[in-house]
């Protein structure tokens, strides 16, 4: 997908997930650096009902495959590092 | 929950998610730094069937609430940073 287009589309995701993919509310997951395939699968499952969530079901309903690919490419393009507690 | 116990329990998660919560296989999500409540909810939904996945349904089936809390506390204790592409 096209990460630049995905970044623009991510405006509808930023309230909960952030443009940077780090969750802004406790019940939302971080999606930064998730793999393209994982992100696409989750969005498609929310769209077709295999996975349900009151917000995500609505958000995903009208997404086209191209929009899903672009969004997934944007969030997958973000590098994440993990620092373990001492 | 107890992160030290969670880290030990995470041995059963590391193949796909890593002890550090950074996915080791493309279809698995990063779970590092996800919030305690998000991680607990997902594990409980996999356990009670609200969310289904061939691997996670099996993994979650026998987890106790305490084990779920400890696992969630471990992965939630990991700090993540996100670096956007130029």
């Amino acid at each position: 997908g096209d990460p630049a287009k995905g970044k623009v589309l991510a405006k509808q995701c930023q309230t909960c997930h952030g443009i940077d993919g780090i969750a802004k509310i406790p019940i939302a997951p971080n999606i930064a650096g998730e793999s393209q395939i994982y992100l696409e699968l989750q969005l498609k499952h929310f769209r077709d009902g295999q996975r349900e969530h009151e917000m995500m079901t609505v958000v995903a309903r009208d997404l086209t495959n191209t929009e899903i690919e672009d969004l997934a490419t944007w969030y997958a393009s973000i590098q994440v590092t993990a620092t373990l507690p001492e």
Side-chain angles (χ1 to χ4, degrees), chain A:
Chain A
D2 178 340
K5 285 190 184 137
K7 188 177 181 182
V8 172
L9 284 166
K11 288 203 174 86
Q12 61 186 314
C13 318
Q14 67 182 332
T15 311
C16 300
H17 294 293
I19 296 288
D20 61 357
I22 300 299
K24 303 298 179 264
I25 62 169
I27 60 162
N30 300 324
I31 53 176
E34 300 293 13
S35 70
Q36 174 94 25
I37 183 168
Y38 179 77
L39 291 166
E40 283 190 30
L41 269 176
Q42 300 314 306
L43 286 172
K44 285 175 179 171
H45 287 174
F46 280 126
R47 186 176 63 181
D48 67 24
Q50 277 185 64
R51 188 176 173 184
E52 287 165 8
H53 181 275
E54 53 185 344
M55 281 287 291
M56 285 306 296
T57 298
V58 172
V59 165
R61 187 167 32 214
D62 304 325
L63 290 177
T64 64
N65 286 345
T66 306
E67 287 170 336
I68 284 177
E69 278 158 33
D70 292 344
L71 278 164
T73 302
W74 165 251
Y75 282 109
S77 74
I78 298 168
Q79 297 295 319
V80 288
T81 59
T83 310
L84 305 191
E86 277 72 48

